[in-house]
Amino acid sequence: MVKKAIIPAAGYGTRGLPITKVIPKEMFPIGVKPAIQYIVEEAMEAGIEQILVIVSRSKSMIVDYFDESLELETFLEKSNKQHLKGKLDIPKIQLYYTRQPYAKGLGDAIRLGETFVGNEPFAVLLPDDIIVSKKEGAITELIKQYEKKRASIVGLKKMEWNQLHQYGVIGGKKETDGLYKIDNIVEKPKADPPSNMAVVGRYVFTPAIFPLLKSLQVGKGGEFQLTDAIQDLLKIEQCFGKCITGERFDIGKVEDYLDIVLKMKKE
Ligand code: G1P
């Protein structure tokens, strides 16, 4: 069973400047909830019981948000606004936090979760990618496949060929059920992507990924890349990709952010 998840939320959010100077993109409001709450709820629906959030110096707002606010509660009670107290409810899940001291990439951030994870399979949810699903959440889809295959699985979406340079891209063989057996994976290929199947921000890993994260060389963009660790994992274990069914919004892109705000208004 997959019971633990890591949410890496330490990036600078440079695509969202200037607002990300003071508001982490994970805290961008979608209606009255911040983006990261959708991610936490998706994990909880999948049966995740403990989440490690990787933060950085400028992300204390995330920690504050998921804390009780006694001051506000008392204020609502004293001012006869008890009916609003429910709005202060925070997701009932055990959250842990650690700081990534230097922005050295996604691979480095996930590596910080080694002690938290121990010797168990675990999920990773990138909070930039909000995935709206009609039936089950994206991470539930991956965990179900993990239960069948007992192997690491990455979330996939078919993309336009001219978009692939923004993603990790897999090469592999298609099986049934939207499943791919991965042969190779490349981070943000400049040319000749191995397919048009891109990695979206949902993963389930076996703990075998940790030694590989620790021995990573600096990769694309001068950062330690999770994708490179997956490429190394392929040498020792099978890995799969699963096409996820929900609609994906990359809130690092202004257009996607505005789209999801409107979509949530309608629902
Ligand atoms: C990260 C991963 C990339 C993946 C993408 C999905 O890139 O490195 O492999 O395709 O997330 O959103 P980033 O968007 O952080 O540059």
Side-chain angles (χ1 to χ4, degrees):
M1 297 292 267
V2 182
K3 294 287 170 204
K4 292 180 179 173
I6 298 179
I7 300 180
Y12 279 122
T14 47
R15 289 185 298 168
L17 284 170
I19 191 65
T20 47
K21 229 169 99 183
V22 290
I23 301 183
K25 66 183 166 194
E26 297 81 9
M27 291 303 293
F28 282 6
I30 300 174
V32 289
K33 288 196 281 189
I36 193 170
Q37 189 161 348
Y38 290 86
I39 306 293
V40 168
E41 287 171 358
E42 182 187 326
M44 287 170 72
E45 268 169 41
I48 297 292
E49 291 172 355
Q50 298 178 8
I51 299 178
L52 174 69
V53 187
I54 315 280
V55 291
S56 57
R57 181 177 289 272
S58 59
K59 305 283 179 122
S60 308
M61 202 187 265
I62 299 176
V63 186
D64 290 344
Y65 179 77
F66 287 112
D67 195 2
E68 303 286 353
S69 175
L70 286 179
E71 207 181 308
L72 249 176
E73 275 176 38
T74 315
F75 168 78
L76 292 178
E77 264 164 32
K78 283 198 176 144
S79 51
N80 250 337
K81 290 184 176 160
Q82 285 93 334
H83 60 287
L84 293 179
K85 269 177 76 183
K87 290 198 182 279
L88 291 178
D89 286 349
I90 47 175
K92 304 256 174 305
I93 186 163
Q94 184 69 57
L95 293 171
Y96 299 83
Y97 301 92
T98 195
R99 271 190 181 177
Q100 184 188 26
Y102 302 99
K104 291 197 291 190
L106 186 56
D108 178 66
I110 304 300
R111 183 186 60 80
L112 296 173
E114 184 177 19
T115 314
F116 165 77
V117 165
N119 197 27
E120 293 177 36
F122 65 103
V124 172
L125 299 94
L126 306 191
D128 306 11
D129 286 341
I130 310 278
I131 299 171
V132 183
S133 308
K134 287 213 170 67
K135 276 166 65 194
E136 53 195 12
I139 203 66
T140 303
E141 289 184 89
L142 295 195
I143 290 174
K144 281 192 174 166
Q145 289 301 330
Y146 172 82
E147 303 294 347
K148 287 187 195 158
K149 297 282 187 187
R150 301 273 150 187
S152 297
I153 323 256
V154 306
L156 297 176
K157 274 246 174 243
K158 192 186 266 182
M159 300 279 174
E160 299 294 336
W161 288 90
N162 64 4
Q163 300 294 308
L164 292 167
H165 65 279
Q166 301 173 23
Y167 298 96
V169 182
I170 65 133
K173 278 175 227 65
K174 197 169 181 179
E175 300 191 341
T176 49
D177 252 2
L179 207 63
Y180 287 76
K181 184 172 175 307
I182 303 178
D183 294 329
N184 64 323
I185 184 164
V186 192
E187 180 67 8
K188 305 196 171 83
K190 283 210 174 82
D192 303 323
S195 77
N196 57 351
M197 299 307 293
V199 176
V200 294
R202 299 292 183 274
Y203 311 79
V204 176
F205 290 114
T206 68
I209 195 84
F210 284 112
L212 306 171
L213 287 169
K214 285 198 275 191
S215 58
L216 273 179
Q217 306 285 313
V218 173
K220 265 270 151 63
E223 296 187 340
F224 293 99
Q225 295 291 349
L226 179 59
T227 301
D228 294 343
I230 302 173
Q231 177 65 25
D232 292 340
L233 188 61
L234 286 167
K235 294 173 198 149
I236 53 171
E237 287 184 0
Q238 292 193 330
C239 297
F240 294 86
K242 166 89 175 90
C243 258
I244 52 145
T245 50
E247 196 179 347
R248 168 181 175 268
F249 299 85
D250 174 359
I251 58 159
K253 290 184 181 152
V254 179
E255 321 79 70
D256 272 28
Y257 170 65
L258 296 175
D259 282 351
I260 188 160
V261 170
L262 285 177
K263 186 177 173 75
M264 289 308 180
K265 184 180 170 213
K266 286 187 205 129
E267 292 201 346

